Amino acid sequence: MSRFNHRKYRPFTPIEIKNRTWPDKNITQAPIWSSVDLRDGNQALVEPMTVEQKKELFALLVDVGFKEIEIGFPSASQLDFDFTRWLIEEDQVPEDVTLQVLTQARPELIKRTYEALEGAHRAIVHVYNSTSTTQREQVFRMDKEGVKQIAVQGAKDVQELAKQYPQTEWIFQYSPESFTGTEMDYAVQVVDAVTEVWQPTPDNKVIINLPATVEVSTPNRFADQIEWFCRHVKNRESLIISLHTHNDRGCGVAAAELGLMAGADRIEGTLLGNGERTGNMDIVTMAMNMYSQGVDPKLQLGDMDRIVSTVKAVTQLPVHPRHAYAGELVFTAFSGSHQDAINKCLANQSDDKPWDVAYLPIDPRDLGRSYQEIIRVNSQSGKGGVAYTLAQEYGLSLPRWLQVEFSPIVQNYAEQDGGVINGATMKQLFEDSFATDSSPYQLGRYELSKDKSDTIRADIVTDAETLSVSGQGNGALSAFCHAVGQHLDTRIDVIQYSEHALGGTDSQAITYVQTNINGTRYNGVAKHEDIVSASLQALLATVNQYLLKRC
Ligand code: KIV
Ligand code: ZN
């Protein structure tokens, strides 16, 4: 029999709740954010951060705008102790930032925690013990009362020791660890017992952090737990309800979002979701989700490259190229129809209009990314992407008929090359295909005169000789077609023509010409300061293609 046996597992037992309100709510304001990158994130690393790396990450977290930062577990780690001392002694903590540290509910650890924090202007002492059925029965082998007493004793120790450091403004935080695996009525009893010790008031609140230490249910069931807890806990108005979700089922952000709708005030998480096992809830994603709905997340995520590179450096973990908002490919379109739609919507977009661009939920420029990065051309891309790249990078506005002609050439090249084609390669391919205006025929001197029709006398230079041709037509280009056609004894018709000035410092114009020579279509392109010369050269480029094909 297969070892893959779903009967081995039990379904999560949801809390019964009537008239839940969270499904009708929307997130309309940012929560209080607390970064636990330097503690939970750090604890989960193969190689924990060095002090230097912690300093770098702390500076980033401050710049991003976190006002509460859990910096470590100083009673359990000498490095965290030293880092805490450095932050305080070197006056590294801005006035509006509150340090947070974690400690287990054990007297000797709590004492050491306060020693680490001596001299801080304000600090959150975060005490926790595990309350879940599994941990009570199998890890601690203790009954409910015994586990509750650990929490109560921890709360008392935290309160007593704080009195020895009156120069610091203390904020207390309690986490019933493994909250989601705890009976809800018991979780409420434990938290009530803790707050009975701390006696918070609406002006002097305490933080009650409800961790999904392991994510065990769908986010709606987690939200039910939060709403139920908020309804039943005593003295709700004196509590800051905080959530700390992990991502075991891949829904850490969704759970935190629904939990916020269910009544929470504060969210703990990490930048890009590093943390135990599948990680903590990702604050970048949650904050950007708010931002994309027109809600100010109260975090500055505009320098996403710095966030990504710092997090990668200190965690020594990669960031997936498809990571929401932060991955290097998330604003990139390869497919032709996506590129085409993005191209059209971007052309309609202006700074005074709400953002409304197909396939791009947010403006990549808000995260420091450029539009150039959006469209990447490979063998799946269509003419829109090719046209976009040549226009953005080289100011070439290819007419639609030429886009249609050039796109298969690019696709063919990409199929053989097997990768993304950059702008420079694309331009080279474009010139090789169409700007063939010097061999075998090159335009020499020419003269135009006008009588009833336009007349041209022109020299065509080859490697061996200079040919003189002349012809008449309705305009210079048509006269030149006539002249070259007579010389070659073939009919040349111009079927498409387009021109534009090249921007920037270039005072040149570019012309795009499509001819029909002897029943076959040819495309030519040429640049020149003089628009007539550019159009004659473009025509000659099509003639050269015909001649090369003929021989
Ligand atoms: O995941 C968890 O339960 C924790 C607690 C210590 C808050 O990290
Ligand atoms: Zn955690």
Side-chain angles (χ1 to χ4, degrees), residues 79-91:
L79 189 145
D80 282 4
F81 189 97
D82 295 342
F83 178 59
T84 312
R85 293 310 311 148
W86 176 82
L87 285 171
I88 296 167
E89 285 165 16
E90 298 300 321
D91 204 11

Side-chain angles (χ1 to χ4, degrees), residues 39-40 102 126 128 175 177-178 209 211-213 244 246 268:
R39 196 277 301 170
D40 215 351
L102 184 71
H126 177 188
Y128 77 99
S175 292
E177 200 219 87
S178 304
N209 186 46
T213 305
H244 175 114
H246 279 266
E268 293 193 349

Side-chain angles (χ1 to χ4, degrees), residues 40-208:
D40 215 351
N42 186 43
Q43 269 177 226
L45 295 177
V46 180
E47 265 187 62
M49 293 173 216
T50 62
V51 169
E52 284 314 307
Q53 287 172 323
K54 282 203 151 199
K55 288 178 186 174
E56 189 185 351
L57 185 53
F58 183 81
L60 174 71
L61 295 169
V62 169
D63 290 349
V64 161
F66 286 99
K67 301 300 172 208
E68 298 183 2
I69 303 176
E70 190 165 88
I71 51 166
F73 201 152
S75 63
S77 144
Q78 186 60 41
L79 189 145
D80 282 4
F81 189 97
D82 295 342
F83 178 59
T84 312
R85 293 310 311 148
W86 176 82
L87 285 171
I88 296 167
E89 285 165 16
E90 298 300 321
D91 204 11
Q92 295 294 313
V93 188
E95 182 47 45
D96 62 349
V97 171
T98 306
L99 294 184
Q100 173 173 329
V101 294
L102 184 71
T103 174
Q104 279 178 347
R106 286 173 32 201
E108 68 287 5
L109 301 184
I110 295 174
K111 184 166 176 293
R112 180 96 175 129
T113 303
Y114 277 98
E115 285 164 10
L117 286 169
E118 182 169 9
H121 59 265
R122 197 181 323 97
I124 298 168
V125 179
H126 177 188
V127 61
Y128 77 99
N129 69 316
S130 191
T131 53
S132 71
T133 330
T134 307
Q135 297 247 20
R136 285 193 324 261
E137 290 174 358
Q138 298 187 51
V139 183
F140 306 116
R141 294 176 191 276
M142 249 185 212
D143 63 8
K144 285 181 170 171
E145 189 53 31
V147 169
K148 186 169 90 181
Q149 280 318 313
I150 295 176
V152 169
Q153 193 53 50
K156 286 182 181 162
D157 291 340
V158 161
Q159 194 175 42
E160 274 314 300
L161 273 155
K163 291 180 187 149
Q164 294 181 17
Y165 301 90
Q167 68 280 28
T168 300
E169 184 189 332
W170 296 109
I171 300 164
F172 302 143
Q173 171 168 339
Y174 173 68
S175 292
E177 200 219 87
S178 304
F179 165 80
T180 45
T182 305
E183 304 83 338
M184 282 300 105
D185 55 345
Y186 176 61
V188 166
Q189 277 175 39
V190 176
V191 168
D192 285 346
V194 166
T195 56
E196 179 67 26
V197 175
W198 285 343
Q199 293 290 317
T201 65
D203 294 331
N204 192 17
K205 295 185 184 184
V206 296
I207 302 168
I208 297 301

